[in-house]
């Protein structure tokens, strides 16, 4: 297991970079599974949204590949809890698609807004630590923001389903990210908040 502290007791930033790659790769894999299940259901229930879902899924497949390709040079390996990302993503996609097209867009909004917040933390952390990975994440973030805007613009209403589902899906996404980084996501956010207050 990666030890986030160096022998001098200071946080080892290389470990955090590896964890960023692991969680981003796993998250993209989870998103592929979400969209895959939603596409499968949408083909049967509301095929008009399938082309947009396929486009977003293709983006996630490419993001997953890019993060995987960035791993070897940083001595990173895929996340050990990929099965949870896979199963969780599939179930989330299936259940939200069963709830209707609006639930699909609420799910996308919740996941992408949570991912955007974490990517912002990562970009702030990587600015002086790994410029190449910073650039990769910044380019991927633009496509993730396009997914978020697509989800927001396609929602027909923001009623009780939005009020209940959005925070639950966002909290589950946060939890999976926290577990996959062994808490480094919280540490990065706290460090960035401290540095802004200085």
């Amino acid at each position: 297991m990666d030890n986030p502290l160096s022998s001098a007791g200071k946080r080892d930033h290389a470990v955090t970079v590896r964890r960023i790659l692991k969680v981003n790769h796993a998250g993209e894999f989870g998103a592929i599974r979400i969209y895959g299940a939603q596409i499968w259901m949408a083909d049967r229930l509301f095929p008009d949204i399938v082309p947009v879902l396929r486009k977003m899924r293709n983006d996630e497949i490419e993001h997953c590949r890019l993060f995987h390709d960035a791993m070897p040079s940083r001595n990173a390996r895929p996340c050990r809890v990929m099965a949870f990302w896979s199963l969780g993503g599939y179930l989330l996609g299936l259940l939200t698609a069963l709830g209707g097209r609006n639930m699909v867009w609420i799910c996308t909004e919740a996941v992408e807004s949570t991912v955007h917040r974490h990517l912002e933390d990562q970009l702030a952390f990587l600015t002086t630590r790994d410029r190449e990975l910073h650039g990769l994440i910044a380019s991927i973030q633009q496509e993730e923001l396009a997914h978020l805007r697509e989800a927001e613009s396609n929602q027909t209403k923001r009623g009780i389903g939005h009020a209940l589902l959005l925070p639950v899906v966002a909290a589950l996404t946060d939890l999976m990210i926290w577990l996959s980084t062994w808490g480094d996501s919280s540490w990065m956010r706290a460090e960035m908040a401290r540095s802004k207050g200085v």
Side-chain angles (χ1 to χ4, degrees):
M1 178 191 340
D2 284 334
N3 183 353
L5 298 179
S6 68
S7 58
K10 295 191 177 191
R11 192 159 280 271
D12 184 346
H13 297 301
V15 172
T16 303
V17 168
R18 286 194 294 271
R19 288 185 180 167
I20 286 170
L21 278 169
K22 284 181 182 188
V23 75
N24 288 1
H25 176 256
E28 299 294 350
F29 184 74
I32 292 165
R33 297 288 286 162
I34 291 170
Y35 287 125
Q38 290 174 339
I39 290 166
W40 187 79
M41 287 302 300
D43 265 337
R44 290 145 183 81
L45 302 174
F46 28 87
D48 56 300
I49 70 169
V50 169
V52 175
L53 293 176
R54 283 206 172 122
K55 162 69 171 89
M56 292 192 292
R57 182 175 184 262
N58 288 340
D59 290 344
E60 306 298 2
I61 290 169
E62 178 63 9
H63 301 166
C64 190
R65 184 193 65 76
L66 289 169
F67 284 128
H68 188 269
D69 290 351
M71 287 180 171
S73 64
R74 293 167 180 85
N75 296 317
R77 292 183 312 269
C79 187
R80 291 181 183 145
V81 293
M82 290 292 275
F84 293 119
W85 285 96
S86 178
L87 180 61
Y90 181 81
L91 289 175
L92 181 59
L94 189 66
L95 293 173
T96 53
L98 283 171
R101 65 171 46 97
N102 214 49
M103 288 294 187
V104 167
W105 299 126
I106 292 169
C107 174
T108 302
E109 178 187 357
V111 170
E112 296 293 4
S113 60
T114 304
V115 166
H116 175 67
R117 183 169 36 81
H118 282 280
L119 292 180
E120 283 293 308
D121 292 342
Q122 292 173 8
L123 288 170
F125 175 81
L126 292 168
T127 298
T128 59
R129 294 177 177 100
D130 190 325
R131 294 296 301 157
E132 183 184 352
L133 186 56
H134 181 279
L136 174 64
I137 291 173
S139 68
I140 286 171
Q141 184 186 40
Q142 293 310 306
E143 289 182 342
E144 302 293 7
L145 282 172
H147 298 175
L148 175 59
R149 286 190 292 272
E150 182 77 38
E152 290 171 337
S153 68
N154 282 312
Q155 289 178 49
T156 55
K157 56 186 183 287
R158 290 185 173 250
I160 190 81
H162 187 273
L164 294 176
L165 184 64
L166 190 89
V168 169
V169 173
L172 288 172
T173 305
D174 268 328
L175 177 64
M176 284 300 296
I177 290 169
W178 191 89
L179 289 172
S180 297
T181 62
W182 295 79
D184 272 355
S185 57
S186 298
W187 172 80
M188 276 191 296
R189 187 172 298 120
E191 182 181 86
M192 293 303 110
R194 279 192 302 273
S195 68
K196 287 177 186 171
V198 173

